[in-house]
Every structure is written in C-alpha cells, then in structure tokens.
Amino acid sequence: LVVIDGAGTRGDLAQGAQVLALLADLQGRQRGGPASTLVLLPATATETAALALDLGASDVVAGPVAPREVALRARALIARRRLREAVRDQVRLGLRAAVTDSLTGLFNRRYAEANIPRMAGRGRGLSLLMIDIDHFKAINDGWGHGAG
C-alpha cells in the first residue's frame, strides 16, 4: 500500500499536479500490477481527487481525515489487494490446468490446437510426435496410472 499525502497542498490543480505526477509515475513503475494507493487531499481539491481516481488511485480522501479513518481505509485496501491476488492466482492455475495433462504436466491437445499454427508459421523447423496406443485404458486400469 502506498499513501500519497497531498493534504498540505493549496488550491486545486496547480499544486495537485505534483500529486498526480507522483501517482502516474508510481503506476507506471509497478511490475505485477500497481500497488494499492490511497491519496490524501484537502477538501478544496475536488478536481485533483477526480483525476487521481482516473489515474488509478485505489482510494482518495478529500478533506480533513482522522488517523483512524486512514488506518481503516488502508486495511480495506490491503484486504482487497490480497483478494485480487488470490483470485488472479486461481485463474492462472485454472488456465494452466486447461492446457496441461494433470498426470505428466505436459501440454495437451487443447494447447497444441491453439499454438501449432503459430509455431509452424515462424519459418523454422517443427516436429510433432503423436502416439496412439490401442487399449491403453486396460493398462491404466490393471496396473494403475503411474505405470501407464
């Protein structure tokens, strides 16, 4: 979580531009997605507040704010960030599971269908090996998937 304290700025856009530039710079530098940002501004900085949200600030407080409120907002932003990261990890695992065999970890037919045309179009050599073993289910059923 990054807290940008612009509560001491006077006026609106003239001095708010420094806060906005800092926010834009921070958003541009973050790898793996921007950090959650809480921007504190004076009550008179309504235009700066709107622009800060437009630039990607997670939350903006315009006006006098008690330290307890800042702490509560910070906790909420951190909890939201953790939830987003957990959801992103689950989606990533689901996508990986959709294109790989769960037993071997090798790419499956779904991956091949989507990627072979692109790989073949690169102009380099491409080899493809497909094996079809008749009655293979009987081997797995009789000896187990590990042996199969």
Side-chain angles (χ1 to χ4, degrees):
L1 172 68
V2 175
V3 178
I4 299 174
D5 187 358
T9 59
R10 288 174 279 138
D12 195 7
L13 283 178
Q15 288 198 2
Q18 291 177 326
V19 171
L20 296 172
L22 178 61
L23 178 61
D25 185 52
L26 177 67
Q27 298 290 79
R29 291 177 185 255
Q30 298 297 312
R31 290 195 177 159
S36 296
T37 51
L38 173 59
V39 180
L40 307 176
L41 294 168
T44 58
T46 55
E47 288 183 51
T48 303
L51 287 170
L53 288 170
D54 194 39
L55 284 172
S58 306
D59 194 7
V60 175
V61 179
V65 59
R68 175 137 172 83
E69 182 179 348
V70 173
L72 289 171
R73 286 175 182 261
R75 280 192 202 104
L77 289 171
I78 291 168
R80 258 189 279 165
R81 173 72 182 216
R82 286 184 179 149
L83 179 61
R84 275 194 320 268
E85 288 173 353
V87 168
R88 185 175 39 240
D89 289 345
Q90 286 299 317
V91 169
R92 192 176 292 127
L93 286 172
L95 291 172
R96 186 176 298 128
V99 296
T100 57
D101 177 77
S102 61
L103 183 62
T104 64
L106 297 173
F107 289 119
N108 62 19
R109 188 193 89 235
R110 211 174 280 120
Y111 176 87
E113 288 174 346
N115 289 284
I116 286 177
R118 176 183 52 81
M119 294 165 67
R122 290 182 183 165
R124 296 184 298 188
L126 176 68
S127 298
L128 178 64
L129 173 67
M130 294 176 55
I131 301 173
D132 182 18
I133 301 174
D134 292 335
H135 310 293
F136 195 73
K137 183 178 181 332
I139 294 170
N140 282 339
D141 290 347
W143 295 88
H145 285 277

